[in-house]
Amino acid sequence: MNFADLFSHIGQHTVDGLSKGAIYALIALGYTLVYGVLRLINFAHSEVFMVGTFAVLGLWTALGVENNPPLGQAVLFLVLGLIVAAIASGGTALAIERVAYRPLRRKNAPPLIFLITAIGLSLVLVEVFGLVLPKLLGDLVPSMFGRGRIILGMPTIIEQKTLFTIGNTEINNVQLIVIVSAVAMMAVLDWFINRTRYGRGVRAVAQNPETAALMGVNQERVIMLIFVLGGIMAGAAALLWGMRFGFTQNSIGFVLGLKAFTAAVLGGIGNLRGALLGGLFLGIVEVYGATIFASNWEDVIAFVVLVIVLMFRPTGILGESLGRARA
């Protein structure tokens, strides 16, 4: 166990954990929005994130993006990547809701059926990108789909450079962009849910669907809205993932999705601010744990922490539901 390395570079490990946890938090928002309204754990959300990473890679491949473009072009590629990823992930999330969950709701299917359907959809999407699309598009886009299930690298849009140093902690430009962008997007989503008419509809349905319907809130529109919002956040996370780690794969969503779900539960599933707190906390704990033990223990550490937290606080750190969010 290497406690000496942890304490001698604790600032650096904290910054690394925050930049990793910010991505977990953005993905976790999709889980927490859907659970807050429908009491449904949408395990297919991890593949909504995966679709976003492929959308970013597809756009940059189509534009012929190369490593380290000039600053003006880099900003343009990032903005376009954000738009395309948000559309792809938001559209995928909406399609999942309309095709799979809506028919089950109309038949008043039990929660177990929704859970099994979510897991099945997740597996289907993984195989679509790992098996079906390579067969259909392998010859047309060989750099993306010509090699099956292997890891695909993304071009480096912004080269990582140290911006400033505090003590022995170096903070680079990509880490700063990831953390600030994630916090800003979550702040906008929190404002939208708590301060707008559409947000009031979401909170009303989350609190009491029958009363909300009597008050004229269209429940179907609210459900579509939360899936689209969760998908957009997953698309943004996909872009930041591409910037920070620079690769994707058809199965990339599996472990990341589990960790994002863990972050949502840690913070208090159904709570937007809890998703942020849970994601950042999980990212820091992972990096600390990997430093103390070894990097191959970080996944184990994440879930051990989840179990320990839930033993003492079963509702998560904040524990507030979406329906009881402040008006």
Side-chain angles (χ1 to χ4, degrees):
M1 291 189 286
N2 194 354
F3 285 101
D5 184 22
L6 173 66
F7 291 116
S8 61
H9 299 90
I10 193 163
Q12 191 65 59
H13 295 314
T14 302
V15 173
D16 292 344
L18 288 174
S19 65
K20 200 172 186 180
I23 296 174
Y24 293 159
L26 280 178
I27 305 172
L29 289 170
Y31 290 102
T32 213
L33 278 169
V34 172
Y35 183 84
V37 172
L38 293 176
R39 296 293 183 270
L40 163 66
I41 299 173
N42 177 24
F43 278 118
H45 186 66
S46 54
E47 273 50 65
V48 171
F49 164 78
M50 179 269 292
V51 171
T53 63
F54 271 86
V56 172
L57 177 59
L59 172 72
W60 290 349
T61 302
L63 295 176
V65 177
E66 297 181 352
N67 290 333
N68 304 319
L71 180 60
Q73 291 183 21
V75 173
L76 177 63
F77 293 147
L78 290 176
V79 172
L80 291 176
L82 177 61
I83 295 171
V84 170
I87 293 173
S89 294
T92 302
L94 182 61
I96 288 172
E97 198 285 319
R98 292 287 92 180
V99 173
Y101 297 143
R102 188 186 188 194
L104 294 178
R105 287 202 314 277
R106 287 185 168 180
K107 294 178 181 178
N108 292 319
L112 183 59
I113 301 300
F114 281 91
L115 186 63
I116 293 171
T117 302
I119 295 171
L121 279 170
S122 175
L123 294 174
V124 167
L125 286 171
V126 168
E127 293 308 321
V128 164
F129 278 81
L131 186 63
V132 178
L133 290 182
K135 286 190 175 180
L136 295 176
L137 303 175
D139 294 332
L140 292 175
V141 195
S143 62
M144 281 187 63
F145 298 114
R147 292 173 290 175
R149 303 167 186 269
I150 69 168
I151 294 174
L152 300 168
M154 293 181 174
T156 302
I157 298 296
I158 296 181
E159 185 181 7
Q160 296 193 27
K161 294 180 180 177
T162 301
L163 282 182
F164 51 88
T165 302
I166 303 173
N168 62 350
T169 302
E170 295 181 348
I171 300 175
N172 68 49
N173 49 353
V174 173
Q175 288 174 325
L176 191 64
I177 291 172
V178 169
I179 295 171
V180 172
S181 301
V183 172
M185 282 185 278
M186 283 181 279
V188 170
L189 180 63
D190 188 77
W191 170 83
F192 181 85
I193 294 296
N194 285 304
R195 300 297 180 191
T196 68
R197 182 167 63 91
Y198 296 106
R200 284 196 294 274
V202 171
R203 286 184 285 119
V205 174
Q207 195 168 33
N208 192 317
E210 290 78 17
T211 303
L214 291 173
M215 298 297 290
V217 177
N218 188 321
Q219 188 173 348
E220 286 298 321
R221 288 184 182 176
V222 167
I223 292 171
M224 290 169 62
L225 177 63
I226 59 167
F227 272 87
V228 171
L229 288 175
I232 290 173
M233 291 297 138
L239 175 69
L240 297 178
W241 175 268
M243 283 180 57
R244 177 77 171 81
F245 298 101
F247 71 91
T248 186
Q249 191 180 19
N250 68 313
S251 59
I252 193 173
F254 179 71
V255 174
L256 273 175
L258 285 178
K259 290 183 178 179
F261 174 67
T262 301
V265 174
L266 275 174
I269 191 164
N271 187 312
L272 296 180
R273 295 169 191 178
L276 169 63
L277 185 62
L280 297 179
F281 178 72
L282 184 65
I284 292 172
V285 167
E286 266 194 16
V287 173
Y288 284 2
T291 305
I292 295 171
F293 300 102
S295 59
N296 53 353
W297 280 88
E298 67 177 26
D299 294 342
V300 177
I301 293 165
F303 296 110
V304 168
V305 169
L306 173 67
V307 172
I308 293 173
V309 170
L310 293 184
M311 283 174 63
F312 295 97
R313 191 166 174 81
T315 57
I317 297 171
L318 296 186
E320 184 186 13
S321 74
L322 188 65
R324 292 195 296 272
R326 185 168 57 86

